[in-house]
């Protein structure tokens, strides 16, 4: 509320400073002055050309990292704006009505193999060691995903060892000469039966497309294992911010050179608050008013529930690759380590319209994006950073790495 009052006062001052007075309109020619009627009077208020050095659109990972670097290391004055009523982007977490820490936009699990990224974020949060494990509900059983030795043994009632598991995968795999689609990737590794049990329907729900219509990169990063390693990720650094992602963002943006405006579309204040340059992390097609059409994204609906039991399910995340409308259920206390007599969960329902979450990786979409990228490269004084601005599916650590790299490029020119 104090910012609202300040903003209102600022706008009144600006409007009064630039508003024409009776002496400067139709009566100007009739005005009498002891000196001269042809010399304009000097303004009574001295103003800066630019109130901020940088306007940053979006308070998620990409925008916040660059804001912090520009303010703390380059001494720049930064205004960061976001349409939402909170910082942190999709990684935002908060305490629900029962006092349980939940991720508003689905589970965010931090993992990286970049020492630079991990050490950078470590300035703003202590960590809680955490390795992520996921089960999949298949044929009435809960089995590890990615598929490993235990998955095969439990699913088929066998007792294979690692060497035998490798032979099993080789026996069911259906090699394909050319790997172009997500379907090609999976079937060439594990064959048709496992593809249909674990991947086909899940992918159809998640993307609204058959895996045969999706680029190979969508599933290429999902491994199969012949050992009992049930970790979902194998990165060198796996941890969760001890006090949550939002606290980490608050620490990151806690600098006198950084001002934050929420519930704000940057176009509302772009002209009223002059800035030298812009960092844009929103949808690139929206920035250019959809000149070449709308880039396709997948969105999500989240159904949050709190249950009067200490544990709801046997794993942090359980995938549902078959007949259910939702793709997975997450139980947050596994992720946060919070102790509480109740527990909160979230169901995820993929959908076509809504907030943009996942760029749809198809060749025709990349062709559209290339046109927007050309516009972005030709737009001076605007830097396009992040998942939406570069139309790429980026993990959190990739967003941080990209933002740090962009800052280094900006700092050279600043």
């Amino acid at each position: 509320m104090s910012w609202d009052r300040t903003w209102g006062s600022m706008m009144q001052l600006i409007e009064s400073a630039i508003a024409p007075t009776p002496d400067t309109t139709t009566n100007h020619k009739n005005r009498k002055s002891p000196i001269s009627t042809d010399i304009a009077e000097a303004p009574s208020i001295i103003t800066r050309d630019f109130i901020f050095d940088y306007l940053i659109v979006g308070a998620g990972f990409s925008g916040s990292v660059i804001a912090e670097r520009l303010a703390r290391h380059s001494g720049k004055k930064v205004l960061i704006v976001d349409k939402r009523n909170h910082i942190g982007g999709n990684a935002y977490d908060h305490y629900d009505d029962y006092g349980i820490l939940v991720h508003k936009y689905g589970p965010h699990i931090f993992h990286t193999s970049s020492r630079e990224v991990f050490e950078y974020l470590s300035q703003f949060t202590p960590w809680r060691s955490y390795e992520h494990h996921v089960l999949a509900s298949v044929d009435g059983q809960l089995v590890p995903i990615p598929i490993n030795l235990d998955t095969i043994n439990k699913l088929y009632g066998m007792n294979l060892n690692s060497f035998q598991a490798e032979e099993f995968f080789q026996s069911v795999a259906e090699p394909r000469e050319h790997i172009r689609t997500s379907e090609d990737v999976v079937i060439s590794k594990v064959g048709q039966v496992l593809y249909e049990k674990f991947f086909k329907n899940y992918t159809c729900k998640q993307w609204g497309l058959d895996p045969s219509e999706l680029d190979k990169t969508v599933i290429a990063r999902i491994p199969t294992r012949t050992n009992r390693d049930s970790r979902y990720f194998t990165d060198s650094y796996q941890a969760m911010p001890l006090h949550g992602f939002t606290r980490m963002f608050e620490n990151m943006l806690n600098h006198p050179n950084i001002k934050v405006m929420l519930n704000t579309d940057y176009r509302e204040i772009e002209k009223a608050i002059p800035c030298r340059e812009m960092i844009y992390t929103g949808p690139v097609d929206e920035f250019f008013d959809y000149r070449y059409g709308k880039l396709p994204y997948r969105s999500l609906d989240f159904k949050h529930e709190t249950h009067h039991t200490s544990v709801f399910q046997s794993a942090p995340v359980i995938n549902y690759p078959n007949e259910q409308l939702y793709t997975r259920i997450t139980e947050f206390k596994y992720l946060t380590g919070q102790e509480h007599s109740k527990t909160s969960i979230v169901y995820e329902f993929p959908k076509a319209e809504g907030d943009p979450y996942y760029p749809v990786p198809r060749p025709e979409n990349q062709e559209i994006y290339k046109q927007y990228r050309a516009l972005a490269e030709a737009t001076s004084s605007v830097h396009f950073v992040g998942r939406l601005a570069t139309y790429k599916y980026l993990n959190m650590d990739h967003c941080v790495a990209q933002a740090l790299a962009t800052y280094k490029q900006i700092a050279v020119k600043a």
Side-chain angles (χ1 to χ4, degrees), residues 5-236:
R5 289 195 296 269
T6 303
W7 173 252
S9 300
M10 285 171 57
M11 292 308 298
Q12 289 177 8
L13 287 170
I14 291 171
E15 289 170 1
S16 65
I18 65 176
T21 64
D23 287 342
T24 60
T25 54
T26 55
N27 295 329
H28 176 75
K29 292 182 179 179
N30 300 324
R31 185 182 61 197
K32 293 183 178 180
S33 168
I35 301 175
S36 170
T37 58
D38 298 323
I39 300 176
E41 295 180 357
S44 59
I45 299 177
I46 299 174
T47 61
R48 288 180 56 187
D49 289 337
F50 298 99
I51 299 176
F52 293 95
D53 297 302
Y54 288 89
L55 168 63
I56 298 183
V57 180
F61 268 106
S62 300
S64 297
V65 168
I66 295 181
E68 186 276 332
R69 292 287 88 181
L70 286 169
R72 196 178 307 273
H73 280 264
S74 295
K76 302 297 183 182
K77 293 188 178 296
V78 175
L79 173 63
I80 184 166
V81 302
D82 201 294
K83 287 182 178 180
R84 290 171 168 169
N85 63 356
H86 58 75
I87 61 175
N90 291 341
Y92 171 72
D93 52 22
H94 67 103
Y95 289 91
D96 67 11
D97 292 340
Y98 296 89
I100 301 172
L101 184 61
V102 301
H103 296 185
K104 182 173 182 178
Y105 304 100
H108 282 70
I109 317 299
F110 184 78
H111 57 98
T112 186
S113 290
S114 169
R115 181 175 178 179
E116 178 188 14
V117 168
F118 186 74
E119 290 184 346
Y120 170 75
L121 293 178
S122 296
Q123 299 175 82
F124 312 108
T125 182
W127 297 97
R128 171 182 177 261
S129 181
Y130 174 79
E131 291 183 336
H132 193 47
H133 296 267
V134 178
L135 298 177
S137 177
V138 176
D139 294 346
Q141 302 184 77
L142 295 179
V143 294
I145 184 79
I147 297 172
N148 67 7
L149 178 60
D150 288 333
T151 308
I152 299 302
N153 283 338
K154 188 171 183 180
L155 204 60
Y156 291 102
M158 298 189 293
N159 191 28
L160 304 180
N161 58 36
S162 292
F163 297 107
Q164 293 168 327
E166 187 170 350
E167 293 173 357
F168 172 83
F169 285 128
Q170 290 174 357
S171 70
V172 298
E174 301 175 24
R176 298 197 169 182
E177 185 177 354
H178 300 291
I179 306 295
R180 296 190 179 93
T181 69
S182 290
E183 180 184 77
D184 295 332
V185 172
V186 179
I187 290 180
S188 66
K189 287 183 178 180
V190 300
Q192 187 74 31
V193 174
L194 291 175
Y195 161 71
E196 292 186 357
K197 287 182 182 295
F198 286 90
F199 300 100
K200 181 178 174 65
N201 292 334
Y202 190 95
T203 304
C204 287
K205 287 191 288 186
Q206 180 74 15
W207 295 99
L209 294 167
D210 190 87
S212 63
E213 302 175 276
L214 282 170
D215 188 83
K216 62 183 179 182
T217 57
V218 174
I219 295 182
R221 61 181 185 166
I222 298 177
T224 55
R225 299 171 183 152
T226 57
N227 57 24
R228 288 190 162 86
D229 185 356
S230 63
R231 295 175 301 164
Y232 200 77
F233 307 111
T234 57
D235 298 84
S236 305

Side-chain angles (χ1 to χ4, degrees), residues 344-365:
S344 285
I345 64 170
V346 66
Y347 296 81
E348 293 183 41
F349 297 85
K351 60 178 184 176
E353 300 298 327
D355 289 343
Y357 288 101
Y358 305 108
V360 181
R362 301 188 72 189
E364 57 266 38
N365 298 341

